Amino acid sequence: YEEALEQAELAVAADPAYAPAYVARADALERLDEVERALEDAEKAVELDPDYSDAYRSRANVYDSMREYGKALEDYDKAVELDPGNAKAFNGRGVTRSHMNEYEEALVDYARAVELDPGSARFYTNRGWCYYDLDKPDKARDDFDKAIELGPAIPLAYAGRGAIQGDSDEIEAAIESFDKAVELDPEFAYAYRWLSWLHNELGQYEQAMKNADKAIEFDPKNAYAYSQRARAYSELGQQEQAIKDADKSIELDPKNAYAYGQRSFSYNELGQYEQAINDASKAIELDPEYAYAYFERGYAHNELGQYESGLNDNNKAIELGYEKSSAYNNRGVAYKALGQPDLALADYGKAIELDPANALPYSNRGVIYEERGQRDEAIAQYVKAAELDPDYSPPREALRRLGVPGY
């Protein structure tokens, strides 16, 4: 845009009465976030040629950047009235309508822009994001793919494709798309934020933290980035730092249910179960469908001996789709404490099915077998748990109690 600005400066100097030169300079300045100067140039273009469609389109772009959406729409309307073939004006009006959450109306404008200029990657990119906001992922993906095919490379097109892939659990593919986005725009905070989440999902917590750092560097008010960094810290056992980041995320966005859920996990890890329950309850208040918050609250209730509440919360977590080994193990603990060992065994079995490397359900199943006098079965469960997690003491203590050598 600096080069475009230089060219526009020369054009204005060559002919101070030439409206397109002011439009070119206004467009370059708007892209460089110099909106006040851009507005002056766009208004000068309108003054010089009141019938010039692109002058109104340019001023509308500036108004949109200033979040004066009503004025932007008026100018876009004027631009397309003067020139019904002005594809950029239709695209711009679509952008403004998207900013106003008028997505269906925006789609009409984007469709017209694409019809007028089917070779514009930017128009497909913008329509793709509109489809994404309307929860039409297949159409969004088609538009992002088309934009990437057309070129030149647009970071937002790769980010859009990455978002679709991430939402579809295509984690590796999404990382590749977002990596391309930040290669094209090394200050793209949105892409770094997504990369942080994606690497967290893969258990790559150091990489997740680095990407969250980048997101925060380029967007210090990015609440989601702080919550993702909190998640990475907590998974790495740094709970105090995790809580600080969750605090910051909540400060920036008090309605961020995810941050409350993440802080609940850290409080559970620190044995601060009442605080964990408070945070999980707040997360549920903000998002009643947030399965993970029920899971964390259920865990805290179990640890406090509140097994009925623990059972209810783990039931709800599983009902909402939290099909994790830990959820079934926790529900099994509640069933066992409430005198329903058969239901507990069923849940421990499900927990093992979901994650055969989870030592806890083996150890818990061993307890029930031992209480039933099934010594050999109990020993087999304890041995498996001790093999899976040599640092987890309960199965080793049980094996010593049962006189098994080597433990």
Side-chain angles (χ1 to χ4, degrees), residues 370 375-376 378-387 393-407:
E370 184 179 357
R375 187 176 186 277
D376 291 344
I379 289 173
Q381 298 301 309
Y382 290 140
V383 167
K384 183 65 174 178
E387 289 175 354
S393 61
R396 304 180 75 81
E397 292 169 0
L399 289 166
R400 287 195 292 271
R401 183 175 62 250
L402 292 169
V404 178
Y407 294 95

Side-chain angles (χ1 to χ4, degrees), residues 27 54 57 61 76 85-93 113 123:
D27 288 347
D54 232 24
R57 189 273 310 159
N61 285 3
Y76 285 129
N86 189 335
K88 289 183 179 179
F90 282 104
N91 175 71
R93 191 167 68 180
F123 296 169

Side-chain angles (χ1 to χ4, degrees), residues 29 31 45 63 68 123-124 146 158 189 211 224 309 343 349 392:
L29 289 167
R31 291 285 185 170
Y63 281 137
E68 296 187 29
F123 296 169
Y124 282 101
K146 183 65 174 179
Y158 284 96
N211 280 289
Y224 192 78
S309 295
L343 290 175
Y392 182 47

Side-chain angles (χ1 to χ4, degrees), residues 97-221:
R97 284 175 166 165
S98 292
H99 289 159
M100 298 172 71
N101 298 325
E102 297 176 357
Y103 298 115
E104 294 292 351
E105 295 86 346
L107 272 182
V108 175
D109 280 334
Y110 290 137
R112 181 61 177 152
V114 168
E115 180 184 349
L116 289 167
D117 185 0
S120 171
R122 188 165 299 281
F123 296 169
Y124 282 101
T125 298
N126 290 343
R127 190 172 67 176
W129 280 106
C130 192
Y131 279 130
Y132 183 79
D133 288 326
L134 286 168
D135 196 23
K136 296 180 178 179
D138 292 337
K139 290 185 175 181
R141 188 191 291 254
D142 287 344
D143 272 356
F144 293 135
D145 287 346
K146 183 65 174 179
I148 291 167
E149 174 193 328
L150 287 170
I154 298 175
L156 272 170
Y158 284 96
R161 187 167 70 179
I164 297 292
Q165 291 164 332
D167 290 342
S168 303
D169 291 329
E170 301 169 36
I171 304 298
E172 296 286 357
I175 288 174
E176 183 177 341
S177 292
F178 281 112
D179 279 344
K180 182 63 176 180
V182 297
E183 175 188 327
L184 294 167
D185 180 1
E187 298 183 7
F188 195 178
Y190 176 85
Y192 287 114
R193 185 191 82 177
W194 258 99
L195 283 166
S196 180
W197 179 79
L198 292 163
H199 284 293
N200 269 331
E201 287 295 289
L202 291 177
Q204 299 168 351
Y205 303 119
E206 294 286 356
Q207 192 63 33
M209 195 176 300
K210 289 177 182 177
N211 280 289
D213 288 344
K214 282 288 189 181
I216 292 165
E217 176 186 349
F218 298 120
D219 183 6
K221 294 184 179 181

Side-chain angles (χ1 to χ4, degrees), residues 196 200 205-206 208-210 212-213 216 225-246 262 265-266 269:
S196 180
N200 269 331
Y205 303 119
E206 294 286 356
M209 195 176 300
K210 289 177 182 177
D213 288 344
I216 292 165
Y226 281 100
S227 60
Q228 284 303 320
R229 193 168 69 180
R231 178 183 175 186
Y233 275 127
S234 65
E235 294 290 353
L236 291 169
Q238 301 176 45
Q239 304 307 333
E240 297 293 348
Q241 188 59 51
I243 289 171
K244 287 180 181 179
D245 270 352
Q262 190 57 58
F265 170 82
S266 291
E269 289 295 293

Side-chain angles (χ1 to χ4, degrees), residues 67 73 166 186-187 270 325 403:
R67 300 187 180 182
L73 285 180
E187 298 183 7
L270 292 171
S325 174

